[in-house]
Amino acid sequence: MKNNLQHIDSEIFDIIELEKQRQQDYITLIASENYTSSAVLAAQSSCLTNKYAEGYPDRRYYGGCVEVDKIEKLSQERLKKLFGSDHANVQPHSGTNANIAAYFALCNSGDTILGMNLNEGGHLTHGSKVNISGKWLNSHTYGVDSNGLINYDRVQEIAKEAKPKVIVCGASAYPRQIDFSRFRQIADSVGAYLIADIAHIAGLIVANLHQNPVQYAHIVTSTTHKTLRGPRGGIIMCVKDLAKQIDGAVFPGTQGGPLMHIIAAKAVAFKEALQQDFVRYQTDVKNNAQTLANALKSRGLKLVSDGTDNHLMLIDLTQSKIGNNLTGKEVEDLLFKANIVVNKNTVPNERRSPFITSGLRVGTPAATTRGLQKNDFITIADMIADIIEYGQSSVQKVHAKVLDLCKKYPL
Ligand SMILES: *Cc1c(COP(=O)(O)O)cnc(C)c1O
């Protein structure tokens, strides 16, 4: 089977080969990306993709599900064990699908939800007006203070005013711990359900490096491909009382047939995450983020909230001592020329459009999987700072150094 792709479709094969080389030759600091294991890749590219299995184990709408039933049950059991949850649904095709299903389980059209503002760290699916969550529901938002931190008293006030049916916590660009127990208090005080979206920090939670929301939130959603290092996909966990509603909201509510090859790959990733090695990996991710943050600060760069508690940080170019007239987009482009991949990001009190921005989001999960060490992250901080401080004139020199680093750590 292996060389068949090259044989049958050399166009696609060649592009995949180029992408392999790109992944080898660039340092990925995109906080939401990671490299899966070859075991995860193998399950994902297996014959399981051929099977239709609408429904749930032992309750399918198709025959021939004996083997895939075993796979989905294993995947569910491992996920429950990983986070200590009562119920697990491993079918959501993505983090977005998981969130849409969670709303569909709890809300009717026009119900009020309260989530974190997209500009200040939240996700599109937390009520943004361009997303179904902001169109189908009546969405209100909370944000961060001028110091970049969630002000829980302020969230409480907004909740009291908005009277939401659902409060969503969790973020895509928030470098600090999230106090899930406080969010639950706020939700209880206004009679709301609490959804915790742990897409970014799931791996850190597994390793006990971040508070686990399972005991506080009615529903926990996540992706499986960020710090959790599994295949591209979503998951939902919930309390027993909501299990039926959640399962029905995923299928037939918002999805059709499950991706059994992905569900198998999730099971493999959960098994990997249950190993002691995974705790070590997450500890490295967090320590490397600390190292990177401190080294960036020592070069005069300002970080939102002045640092990080997790795997990512946000550079605020408007508050930094170097590169003051550069935008997030300009720095993203310059870094890309030097083979370092980050993404531009809005910062608190952003004055520029989301296509330009005044900040950068930088994370350590992928580079840590690759094997980069503490000293390498200090080097990377200097490379980023050189690009910001000296602009185009530093690109060539940094580029050469990046290629050396990439050679040292083959994928
Ligand atoms: C990445 C992310 C998602 C969405 O995941 P997709 O798989 O891209 O749909 C949802 N919520 C948060 C907080 C995220 O960071």
Side-chain angles (χ1 to χ4, degrees):
M1 283 290 276
K2 276 254 169 65
N3 299 325
N4 247 4
L5 178 59
Q6 184 170 26
H7 193 64
I8 289 172
D9 189 340
S10 62
E11 248 179 309
I12 290 294
F13 177 87
D14 289 347
I15 298 171
I16 293 175
E17 289 302 304
L18 288 172
E19 170 62 9
K20 245 186 230 164
Q21 195 60 46
R22 187 198 68 80
Q23 292 188 11
Q24 170 62 40
D25 291 344
Y26 285 74
I27 301 278
T28 294
L29 297 174
I30 295 190
S32 52
E33 290 187 5
N34 213 327
Y35 308 101
T36 63
S37 69
S38 53
V40 166
L41 278 183
Q44 190 172 322
S45 61
S46 67
C47 65
L48 296 168
T49 193
N50 300 335
K51 188 71 198 97
Y52 241 116
E54 280 184 356
Y56 290 96
D58 302 325
R59 295 179 283 136
R60 303 286 190 187
Y61 291 84
Y62 286 79
C65 291
V66 192
E67 305 306 334
V68 294
D69 274 8
K70 292 181 200 161
I71 283 173
E72 186 162 351
K73 283 180 195 168
L74 265 177
S75 200
Q76 291 168 339
E77 287 314 310
R78 288 176 185 171
L79 177 57
K80 285 199 285 190
K81 191 168 167 199
L82 204 48
F83 290 92
S85 70
D86 288 341
H87 181 73
N89 188 309
V90 294
Q91 291 194 3
H93 301 331
S94 68
T96 294
N97 285 50
N99 285 342
I100 301 307
Y103 299 136
F104 198 62
L106 301 176
C107 300
N108 292 305
S109 165
D111 281 352
T112 299
I113 63 166
L114 172 61
M116 194 175 195
N117 201 320
L118 178 64
N119 278 336
E120 296 177 45
H123 188 260
L124 273 174
T125 55
H126 296 184
S128 160
K129 295 297 173 193
V130 297
N131 181 262
I132 188 169
S133 59
K135 288 183 191 283
W136 183 63
L137 300 165
N138 168 34
S139 64
H140 290 248
T141 60
Y142 58 88
V144 294
D145 270 354
S146 53
N147 55 14
L149 300 175
I150 295 170
N151 177 334
Y152 293 91
D153 294 332
R154 182 77 193 111
V155 177
Q156 172 76 70
E157 282 171 23
I158 298 171
K160 218 170 156 188
E161 287 258 310
K163 299 185 188 66
K165 185 160 188 189
V166 173
I167 296 178
V168 195
C169 59
S172 297
Y174 188 67
R176 295 298 182 178
Q177 293 271 333
I178 293 170
D179 189 344
F180 296 118
S181 95
R182 183 71 200 277
F183 265 110
R184 176 58 187 260
Q185 277 174 16
I186 296 170
D188 282 346
S189 78
V190 296
Y193 286 106
L194 181 66
I195 299 177
D197 177 352
I198 57 170
H200 261 265
I201 54 174
L204 295 169
I205 291 169
V206 167
N208 252 319
L209 298 167
H210 192 292
Q211 192 184 78
N212 185 343
V214 160
Q215 55 186 312
Y216 302 111
H218 300 91
I219 298 175
V220 176
T221 62
S222 184
T223 60
T224 46
H225 49 275
K226 297 180 184 175
T227 50
L228 205 48
R229 207 163 60 179
R232 195 156 286 281
I235 46 174
I236 306 180
M237 293 172 276
C238 67
V239 293
K240 272 213 174 66
D241 291 350
L242 291 174
K244 262 208 166 113
Q245 264 165 276
I246 283 293
D247 287 350
V250 174
F251 173 86
T254 54
Q255 289 189 173
L259 313 174
M260 295 316 303
H261 56 307
I262 299 295
I263 289 173
K266 286 171 184 170
V268 174
F270 301 152
K271 179 167 182 172
E272 289 174 350
L274 284 161
Q275 313 301 316
Q276 205 47 43
D277 256 5
F278 193 73
V279 174
R280 226 169 344 227
Y281 162 63
Q282 297 294 337
T283 309
D284 289 344
V285 165
K286 187 173 165 176
N287 289 340
N288 289 338
Q290 293 289 329
T291 299
L292 186 58
N294 288 332
L296 289 170
K297 278 163 67 174
S298 73
R299 287 288 304 265
L301 288 161
K302 167 82 170 109
L303 302 183
V304 173
S305 84
D306 275 329
T308 174
D309 296 330
N310 57 27
H311 62 297
L312 68 81
M313 61 216 71
L314 296 165
I315 301 173
D316 185 344
L317 294 163
T318 63
Q319 307 279 319
S320 293
K321 293 203 183 88
I322 55 176
N324 247 335
N325 41 15
L326 288 174
T327 66
K329 178 168 175 26
E330 284 166 338
V331 176
E332 180 192 291
D333 290 346
L334 282 168
L335 285 169
F336 186 72
K337 283 189 198 163
N339 285 29
I340 296 174
V341 196
V342 302
N343 61 279
K344 59 182 176 292
N345 215 94
T346 50
V347 295
N349 307 313
E350 181 63 69
R351 291 170 293 112
R352 297 187 170 108
S353 90
F355 297 104
I356 306 294
T357 81
S358 306
L360 296 166
R361 189 182 68 163
V362 182
T364 55
T368 301
T369 293
R370 203 165 167 170
L372 273 73
Q373 312 277 316
K374 183 173 182 166
N375 281 338
D376 301 316
F377 283 95
I378 296 172
T379 305
I380 287 174
D382 277 323
M383 297 194 289
I384 293 173
D386 283 349
I387 293 275
I388 293 174
E389 188 163 5
Y390 307 117
Q392 182 66 46
S393 67
S394 63
V395 165
Q396 207 179 351
K397 215 166 128 198
V398 172
H399 183 252
K401 279 194 227 162
V402 169
L403 287 184
D404 283 344
L405 200 55
C406 289
K407 276 208 195 83
K408 200 172 147 198
Y409 298 102
L411 280 172

